[in-house]
């Protein structure tokens, strides 16, 4: 983390979990476990249908709402899609784009992710842009090349003033839901590399101000070490964000170096 130059963000990604009836008890437990003064921005990316219930149940919990996907289209005949203005309308301040699960199971490519990022920025929602390599790519030493391409493609046509609202999440595919976390050194190396790619496009100042998160089996036990790395400005947390006490512990782990 480097609080002098950029925001620290802890974002949960509930994926396709939880029911509306489970939200109130979850938010009550979360509130009980959260530190009294918030050391960072806290976001929960719930299924879109649950955003209003989460915001209502978490009224005094200071948790911002995020979505997990958005349509690239503004409005119209796109059955099943949800637009950025509809997300903004129900209170979403953040939205994940380009998660590897969407790239893999829904065939999302870098051009689509770029279009979705722009759609979000236009409606004032902060995109959390996910990038990450497969195990094969890591073993073939293609990690940075692949990630540099993903970052450049996602940010194509986005100017420096819009970049300030973007968050990048480095999520190695082999670490997602596997219990296999990247070591703090591996995660730092790639997050530093991502910042260098952004510096190459926008220059030193904008690059210094972008928050870069790590995601992939981040949990209550390993968060502190990962967050101690200079280029890791927070986390995007799947499994552990479904357990209120664990998620709160990760938030607390950002208190270091405050
Ligand atoms: P896990 O924390 O369950 O590995 O998931 C990470 C993730 O995909 C967050 O977007």
């Amino acid at each position: 983390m480097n609080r002098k130059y950029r925001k620290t963000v802890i974002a949960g990604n509930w994926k396709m979990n939880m029911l509306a009836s489970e939200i109130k008890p979850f938010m009550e437990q979360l509130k009980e476990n959260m530190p009294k003064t918030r050391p960072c921005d806290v976001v929960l990316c719930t299924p879109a249908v649950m955003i209003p219930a989460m915001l209502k149940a978490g009224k005094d919990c200071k948790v911002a709402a995020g979505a997990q996907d958005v349509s690239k289209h503004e409005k119209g005949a796109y059955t099943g899609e949800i637009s950025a203005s509809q997300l903004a309308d129900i209170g979403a301040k953040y939205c994940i784009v380009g998660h590897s699960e969407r790239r893999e199971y829904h065939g999302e490519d870098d051009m689509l992710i770029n279009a979705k990022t722009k759609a979000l920025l236009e409606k004032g929602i902060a995109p959390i842009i996910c990038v990450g390599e497969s195990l094969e790519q890591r073993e073939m030493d293609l990690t940075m090349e692949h990630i540099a391409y993903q970052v450049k493609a996602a940010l194509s046509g986005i100017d420096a003033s819009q970049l300030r609202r973007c968050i990048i999440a480095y999520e190695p595919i082999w670490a997602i839901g596997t219990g296999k976390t990247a070591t703090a050194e591996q995660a730092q190396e790639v997050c530093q590399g991502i910042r260098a790619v952004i510096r190459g496009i926008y220059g030193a100042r904008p690059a210094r101000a972008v928050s870069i998160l790590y995601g992939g089996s981040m949990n209550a036990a390993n968060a502190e070490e990962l967050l101690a790395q200079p280029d890791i400005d927070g986390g995007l947390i799947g499994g552990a964000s479904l357990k209120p006490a664990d998620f709160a512990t990760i938030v607390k782990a950002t208190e270091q170096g405050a």
Side-chain angles (χ1 to χ4, degrees), residues 143-215:
T143 299
M144 221 38 245
E145 194 178 315
H146 175 68
I147 284 169
Y149 180 84
Q150 286 185 320
V151 170
K152 283 183 196 162
L155 295 176
S156 168
I158 287 167
D159 65 27
S161 69
Q162 293 169 310
L163 175 77
R164 284 175 43 218
R165 318 243 316 287
C166 295
I167 294 171
I168 311 289
Y170 167 52
E171 298 208 311
I173 297 170
W174 49 270
I176 294 177
T178 57
K180 209 173 156 188
T181 323
T183 63
E185 293 72 31
Q186 284 172 325
Q188 163 59 21
E189 188 186 10
V190 177
C191 290
Q192 187 177 19
I194 291 171
R195 202 175 303 287
V197 170
I198 296 174
R199 192 180 308 121
I201 311 170
Y202 297 94
R205 243 167 204 258
R208 203 167 60 185
V210 173
S211 297
I212 302 176
L213 317 184
Y214 169 78

Side-chain angles (χ1 to χ4, degrees), residues 13 15 96 99 101 171 175-178 215-218 236-240:
N13 175 6
K15 307 193 179 182
I96 296 170
H99 193 281
E101 287 152 16
E171 298 208 311
I176 294 177
T178 57
S217 299
M218 195 189 233
L236 183 55
I237 296 115

Side-chain angles (χ1 to χ4, degrees), residues 38-217:
R38 203 51 52 82
C40 63
D41 289 7
V42 182
V43 185
L44 277 174
C45 298
T46 70
V49 286
M50 292 183 195
I51 289 176
M54 194 278 283
L55 285 173
K56 192 170 168 216
K59 251 193 337 278
D60 34 37
C61 207
K62 289 197 204 124
V63 174
Q68 300 173 11
D69 184 33
V70 67
S71 172
K72 71 170 180 175
H73 302 289
E74 223 181 298
K75 64 190 298 195
Y78 302 100
T79 302
E81 294 271 80
I82 303 178
S83 72
S85 29
Q86 289 170 329
L87 291 176
D89 195 40
I90 57 167
K93 302 281 186 233
Y94 296 81
C95 182
I96 296 170
V97 271
H99 193 281
S100 59
E101 287 152 16
R102 294 217 56 92
R103 292 181 193 254
E104 187 179 345
Y105 308 136
H106 300 269
E108 294 200 4
D109 63 18
D110 292 295
M111 263 175 71
L112 178 60
I113 289 155
N114 175 244
K116 289 184 173 191
T117 301
K118 287 174 175 161
L120 290 168
L121 287 168
E122 224 165 82
K123 301 298 169 195
I125 298 177
I128 303 177
I129 302 163
C130 298
V131 296
E133 82 286 6
S134 65
L135 189 58
E136 293 73 28
Q137 285 167 325
R138 176 158 283 270
E139 284 171 354
M140 289 167 75
D141 210 13
L142 292 172
T143 299
M144 221 38 245
E145 194 178 315
H146 175 68
I147 284 169
Y149 180 84
Q150 286 185 320
V151 170
K152 283 183 196 162
L155 295 176
S156 168
I158 287 167
D159 65 27
S161 69
Q162 293 169 310
L163 175 77
R164 284 175 43 218
R165 318 243 316 287
C166 295
I167 294 171
I168 311 289
Y170 167 52
E171 298 208 311
I173 297 170
W174 49 270
I176 294 177
T178 57
K180 209 173 156 188
T181 323
T183 63
E185 293 72 31
Q186 284 172 325
Q188 163 59 21
E189 188 186 10
V190 177
C191 290
Q192 187 177 19
I194 291 171
R195 202 175 303 287
V197 170
I198 296 174
R199 192 180 308 121
I201 311 170
Y202 297 94
R205 243 167 204 258
R208 203 167 60 185
V210 173
S211 297
I212 302 176
L213 317 184
Y214 169 78
S217 299

